[in-house]
Each structure stands twice: as structure tokens, then as C-alpha cells.
Amino acid sequence: ADLLILDEWGYVPVDREGSQLLFRVVADSYESRSLVITTNLEFSKWGSVFTDDQMAAAMIDRLAHHGHLLVFEGKSYRMKHALMKQR
């Protein structure tokens, strides 16, 4: 695939083996395919999700080298349009 989309990155903690597999995906994609990653986690939290600060730093390094960081601020679209609202 020319484009790989990884949605909700870090939503669920990943065990060591899963972290190593995700690192391989990022490393194998580096400079060969486009990745889109969505997350609500800042980079400083990635080490706790992927069980290893060094592996997280290596992923961030590869992603940041040719990447673009888009930060969306403001209210959540889902919360704004939620059917269940507090009164």
C-alpha cells in the first residue's frame, strides 16, 4: 500500500511484542510509503503506551523527519454534536 492510516494511535496500551511490531511498521514505511497517524497523545506520553521510551523516541524520530504535524484545537466535533448532553 502507498498509504497506511493508523487511527487512534495509543488509545489502548500495547504490550512489548505489539510495540515491536508497530515499530517495524513505522521503520519499514520510513521513506517508502506515506503514514497517517491520528492520536490525542503528545509525544512525551508515547513511551508509556509503547512500553519503551527508546522505541517510542525512534518511532517519533522517523515520523518527524519527513512528517507534518497537524494539531487541532478546540471542542470535539463529537461532543459538540452529541445526542446525550448534560442539561
Side-chain angles (χ1 to χ4, degrees):
D2 293 331
L3 171 65
L4 181 60
I5 300 172
L6 306 169
D7 193 24
E8 298 288 351
W9 189 260
Y11 182 69
V12 176
V14 181
D15 65 11
R16 183 150 184 82
E17 184 179 351
S19 295
Q20 291 170 342
L21 291 170
L22 284 171
F23 175 78
R24 290 285 311 269
V25 168
V26 171
D28 290 348
S29 298
Y30 179 62
E31 295 188 326
S32 66
R33 81 169 49 100
S34 296
L35 291 176
V36 172
I37 297 173
T38 68
T39 184
N40 62 355
L41 295 175
E42 56 194 56
F43 289 141
S44 65
K45 303 258 193 303
W46 284 26
S48 62
V49 173
F50 298 110
T51 70
D52 185 326
D53 288 336
Q54 289 180 328
M55 190 180 328
M59 279 194 248
I60 293 165
D61 184 61
R62 284 160 178 77
L63 294 168
H65 183 221
H66 295 297
H68 300 278
L69 179 63
L70 303 175
V71 178
F72 296 94
E73 296 179 355
K75 294 185 179 184
S76 162
Y77 176 85
R78 289 184 186 122
M79 293 305 291
K80 182 178 177 182
H81 297 284
L83 296 177
M84 292 180 7
K85 294 184 179 184
Q86 281 187 334
R87 296 181 188 246

